[in-house]
Amino acid sequence: MSMIPDDKVREVRERASIYEVISGYMSLRKSGANYQGICPFHGEKTASFNVNPARGIFHCFGCGAGGNVVTFVMRMEGMNFPQAVKFLAKRVGVEIPERPLTREEKHKLDEQEMLYEINEIAAQFYRRVLESDETGALGRQYLVKRGVDDDIAVTYRMGFAPAGWDNLAKHLQRKGIAPAQAEQLGLLRKREGRDGYYDTFRNRLLFTIADLHGRAIGFGGRVMDDSLPKYINSPESAIYRKSEVLFGLDLAKKGMREQGSAIIVEGYFDHLALYRAGFRNVVATCGTALTPQHLKLLRRYAEKVYMLFDGDEAGRKATVRSMELFLEEGFPARVIEVPKEDDPDTFIRREGAAGFAPLLEKALPIFQFYYRGVAASIDTSSVEGKVAFVNEVGPRLVKIQDPLERGLYEQEICKAAGIDLAMLRRKVGGPVPAAPQAAPQPRPKPRPALRQGPSTEEVLLTLMVKFPEVVTKVREAGPEALFSGGHLHVAQAVVAQSLDGDLDLSRVLESLESPEERTRLSGLFVQDDHLEDIDPLKAFEQCRQTLQRGALKGDAKTLRLELAQLDPESPRFREILLELETLRNKKSKLL
C-alpha cells in the first residue's frame, strides 16, 4: 500500500502528460486520436504500442501491456508505485508529503545518496584540476592535441586525475568523506600491509560515466601515452552495474528518439568523435560486452541499432559476439564498416561527418556482415571448406526468428557454399524441401482462426467511456440490469465518477482484479475511432435490447431445467409454465 495520499496521486496523474512522459522514452507518431510506436516491453518490428492522451492510458496490442503514466514509469524505470509517483511528482512540481522512513529504509537511502554525492565531489575535483589547476596542464595539452574544445569537455564532464598518490584522498578527507566509502566506488584503494588509502586514478584523463538521469556513477581514466593499461574504469558498485549502463545514454536519449536508431561504439573517444561530428544518437560499451539489459535500455528509444567497432580483427570479433544477442532478441542491427587501419575516432577526425554518412548508408545487416566475412575467410571449393563454413554459420543462422528473413539467408548461404537447401536444413534444422512429385496432392486450406470480438457488455462500456449521454442512460436503467462481473464494477465506477464530472479511466482499470480483463479493456478503450460516426443513443438501445434478450434467455433456460425435474401435476410445474410465458412476452417486445 502506498502512503501517498490519493489526492496527490490524482494530481500527479493529471499534471503528468502521458504523451510527454512516454515520448521522453521512445519515438511516437500521430495516428488518429492516438500516438503509436514500437513497444519497449517486447521485441517487434511494427508499431503495436498505442498512447491515448485524452484518456491518459497506453496499450500494446502485441504483448498486452497497458496502463497509465504511473504504470509506464514503473515498468520502464523498474520502480514500485510510490517511487514512480514521486519520480513524476518531481517532474511536474507536485509536492508529496513524506511519511517517516523506517530505520532500515533511511539507512539504505542515505547510503546510496552518499555514494552519488561522493562521485559528484570527485567529478568536480577532477573537473577543476583539468580546467585550471597546474597539475592538469598535461590533460589540457592532450585535449588540444586530440582537437577537443572546452565546450565538449564540459559536455562530457571530463576531468584530470593528477600524478601523485593521494590528491583525491586528501580532498575527500577535507570534505569529511570516509575513505572506506570512497573505496566502495573504486575511487580509493587500501594500501597493502599498512594503514591508509591511495588514489585509483593517477595521471589520467577522465570521462565521467553517468546514469540515465545524468548522475555521476563512475569514471573511465585514459593514459596520455602508450603505457598500459590504456584505460582504467570504475569497478561495479551499489550505483554502477556495468551490465545495465551504456556510456553517453544521457546525452543520446533525444537523438535516438528523433532518429529511431542508435549507434554503438566501443570507446569514449569514438563516442566523442561522433558526437562532435553531429551524430547525437551514440552510446558506448567501453569494453563491456553487450547484455540483454543493454538491449532493453536501447529498445526504449531506438527501433534499430548500428554497430561501429574498430576495423581490425578484434573489432570484427566483438561485432560477431554481439550479433548472437541481437538475433536472439529479434532486435534489428546493422554494421558500419571503417577501413581496417582505422578506428571510428581516427576515421571521423580525418573524413568528418561528410565522409562518415556514406558508411552509415551502406551498413549491412549484422548477419549478412558476419556470414560474408566467414565466406571470405574459408575456401568453400572443397568438401572440407563447405563443411567448415556450414559448421560456423549454421548455429547462428538458426537464431534468426523471422521465417522469411531466415529463408532468404538460407538461399544466400547455399549459393555461397555451393550446397543445396535440403543439405543445409538437414545440418542445421528446419523443414527439408520435398522431392518434386508428378501429381502433387492438393492440400485442404486451413480455416482461418476466428478472432473473438468484443462482447456486447464491452461495446457498451466503450460507448460509456466515449459518450456522456450513454452514461446517463446506463445510470437511468441501472448498471446491475445490464452488466455482470468485472464489467459491472467498471460500469459502476464510470457512472460514479461521471457524477463528479471527472472520469479517471486509468484508475477505473487499476481497480480490476483480473489482469486479463484489465488488458482487454485497456485495448478497447485506447482505440475507438470506429465509434466516431455512430449514433450513441441508438447504439445504447441496441446494446440494451441485446443484453436484456440474453438475460431473458438465460432465465428461461434455468426455468426449463427446473421444469424437467418436476411432476407435471405439481403446483410449481404450473408456476414455471406461467413464468416462461411471461418471459416469452417480454422477449417478443424486445424484437
Side-chain angles (χ1 to χ4, degrees):
M1 289 290 288
S2 166
M3 301 300 291
I4 303 173
D6 287 344
D7 62 325
K8 287 296 181 181
V9 174
R10 194 176 305 116
E11 185 180 359
V12 168
R13 282 186 186 139
E14 289 170 353
R15 292 176 63 171
S17 159
I18 193 168
Y19 167 74
E20 289 180 6
V21 170
I22 293 181
S23 64
Y25 288 90
M26 55 184 285
S27 176
L28 294 173
R29 295 178 179 85
K30 191 85 166 70
S31 177
N34 288 353
Y35 289 85
Q36 292 183 337
I38 300 295
C39 181
F41 304 126
H42 81 291
E44 63 173 8
K45 295 183 179 179
T46 55
S48 302
F49 187 89
N50 284 255
V51 179
N52 188 313
R55 292 182 180 163
I57 58 175
F58 73 90
H59 181 81
C60 175
F61 289 95
C63 68
N68 57 32
V69 66
V70 178
T71 314
F72 182 85
V73 169
M74 286 170 66
R75 293 194 64 158
M76 289 300 287
E77 297 288 350
M79 296 177 172
N80 59 31
F81 182 82
Q83 288 171 333
V85 172
K86 290 175 183 176
F87 177 87
L88 289 167
K90 187 175 181 181
R91 173 179 174 138
V92 297
V94 174
E95 288 191 16
I96 302 291
E98 294 286 347
R99 67 165 173 83
L101 298 175
T102 65
R103 182 177 299 175
E104 293 78 11
E105 287 173 332
K106 190 173 189 306
H107 176 72
K108 187 175 180 180
L109 185 63
D110 288 348
E111 193 174 60
Q112 193 174 59
E113 287 303 317
M114 178 56 72
L115 294 178
Y116 283 118
E117 186 177 338
I118 294 169
N119 264 343
E120 187 61 37
I121 291 170
Q124 291 174 6
F125 169 76
Y126 294 136
R127 280 288 306 141
R128 179 181 58 76
V129 171
L130 179 65
E131 284 183 316
S132 57
D133 201 274
E134 274 184 43
T135 56
L138 284 175
R140 294 191 291 274
Q141 291 166 16
Y142 183 79
L143 289 182
V144 170
K145 187 173 76 172
R146 297 290 298 247
V148 178
D149 61 27
D150 291 342
D151 289 342
I152 289 291
V154 169
T155 298
Y156 280 80
R157 299 188 69 186
M158 297 177 77
F160 187 76
W165 289 93
D166 57 1
N167 292 285
L168 178 65
K170 288 178 178 177
H171 179 74
L172 294 177
Q173 187 177 20
R174 288 193 292 270
K175 292 284 186 179
I177 304 298
Q181 288 181 306
E183 185 187 17
Q184 291 180 44
L185 296 164
L187 292 168
L188 302 181
R189 292 178 181 173
K190 193 167 178 51
R191 296 182 185 276
E192 291 184 17
R194 58 195 179 101
D195 293 339
Y197 292 80
Y198 64 94
D199 297 352
T200 298
F201 299 106
R202 303 182 305 281
N203 200 32
R204 286 177 182 265
L205 185 74
L206 295 182
F207 286 84
T208 298
I209 301 169
D211 67 7
L212 191 61
H213 310 295
R215 294 178 297 186
I217 56 175
F219 300 91
R222 191 195 194 286
V223 295
M224 293 165 292
D225 51 27
D226 296 326
S227 59
L228 296 174
K230 186 176 179 180
Y231 279 100
I232 293 177
N233 293 316
S234 293
E236 293 210 343
S237 68
I239 60 173
Y240 178 35
R241 287 173 286 274
K242 296 181 181 181
S243 64
E244 300 173 8
V245 174
L246 287 165
F247 176 77
L249 186 60
D250 56 317
L251 300 175
K253 289 185 298 184
K254 186 172 184 291
M256 287 193 293
R257 286 195 303 268
E258 292 171 351
Q259 298 295 323
S261 64
I263 300 174
I264 303 177
V265 297
E266 280 190 287
Y268 302 107
F269 274 103
D270 293 338
H271 189 289
L272 188 150
L274 280 162
Y275 188 90
R276 186 172 50 187
F279 298 93
R280 301 298 166 86
N281 57 332
V282 190
V283 294
T285 57
C286 299
T288 304
L290 280 172
T291 67
Q293 292 92 330
H294 288 146
L295 264 59
K296 185 178 179 182
L297 267 177
L298 291 168
R299 278 193 187 278
R300 298 182 188 179
Y301 310 100
E303 299 167 14
K304 60 183 176 183
V305 302
Y306 292 89
M307 302 295 295
L308 176 58
F309 289 176
D310 291 354
D312 58 13
E313 187 59 25
R316 179 175 289 272
K317 286 181 178 177
T319 302
V320 171
R321 282 196 303 272
S322 66
M323 176 192 68
E324 297 201 20
L325 183 59
F326 284 111
L327 295 181
E328 288 167 0
E329 296 290 330
F331 197 169
R334 289 177 169 264
V335 179
I336 304 168
E337 293 188 76
V338 295
K340 288 185 179 179
E341 65 276 7
D342 275 322
D343 58 33
D345 176 33
T346 57
F347 179 85
I348 292 170
R349 278 199 288 156
R350 185 180 69 246
E351 304 292 339
F356 180 73
L359 300 186
L360 190 62
E361 292 173 7
K362 291 188 295 184
L364 292 175
I366 194 165
F367 186 80
Q368 188 176 11
F369 165 84
Y370 158 71
Y371 90 76
R372 285 187 178 181
V374 175
S377 66
I378 296 177
D379 180 7
T380 56
S381 62
S382 67
V383 171
E384 291 84 354
K386 295 179 192 295
V387 172
F389 178 69
V390 173
N391 284 342
E392 170 68 23
V393 174
R396 276 91 178 196
L397 174 66
V398 297
K399 293 178 184 289
I400 298 175
Q401 297 178 1
D402 184 88
L404 176 60
E405 184 182 4
R406 178 175 165 178
L408 293 171
Y409 277 128
E410 285 175 338
Q411 293 176 22
E412 289 196 28
I413 288 166
C414 287
K415 186 177 179 181
I419 61 175
D420 65 38
L421 185 58
M423 291 172 64
L424 176 65
R425 287 185 174 172
R426 271 194 290 268
K427 176 66 177 175
V428 304
V432 177
Q437 296 178 358
Q441 297 297 316
R443 294 180 180 179
K445 292 183 179 179
R447 295 178 64 185
L450 295 175
R451 185 178 182 275
Q452 187 180 357
S455 67
T456 305
E457 287 189 16
E458 289 171 341
V459 170
L460 185 51
L461 284 174
T462 60
L463 290 169
M464 291 176 68
V465 167
K466 190 170 183 68
F467 301 109
E469 56 267 44
V470 174
V471 179
T472 302
K473 287 289 186 181
V474 170
R475 185 169 63 246
E476 291 171 353
E480 300 80 3
L482 301 169
F483 297 96
S484 59
H487 294 155
L488 174 59
H489 175 81
V490 174
Q492 289 172 327
V494 171
V495 168
Q497 288 192 18
S498 69
L499 291 173
D500 300 331
D502 178 27
L503 177 58
D504 185 346
L505 196 55
S506 62
R507 188 151 54 98
V508 172
L509 290 172
E510 270 180 11
S511 64
L512 285 170
E513 291 184 5
S514 166
E516 293 79 12
E517 195 164 26
R518 192 160 54 240
T519 295
R520 183 166 173 80
L521 287 178
S522 71
L524 291 171
F525 293 158
V526 81
Q527 205 168 43
D528 60 5
D529 294 347
H530 60 287
L531 299 178
E532 288 295 337
D533 299 322
I534 70 165
D535 181 335
L537 295 182
K538 184 177 179 181
F540 162 76
E541 191 58 33
Q542 290 172 342
C543 288
R544 184 187 67 81
Q545 290 188 12
T546 300
L547 290 170
Q548 288 184 346
R549 279 197 300 271
L552 292 173
K553 186 177 179 181
D555 292 343
K557 183 178 180 180
T558 301
L559 289 171
R560 288 193 188 97
L561 288 172
E562 185 182 352
L563 189 69
Q565 307 297 319
L566 295 174
D567 182 344
E569 300 300 323
S570 67
R572 178 59 183 156
F573 189 91
R574 288 191 292 274
E575 286 177 11
I576 290 177
L577 289 176
L578 290 173
E579 288 179 27
L580 285 170
E581 182 63 27
T582 302
L583 289 177
R584 277 193 292 272
N585 290 335
K586 287 183 178 180
K587 192 173 180 181
S588 65
K589 291 178 181 178
L590 291 172
L591 297 175

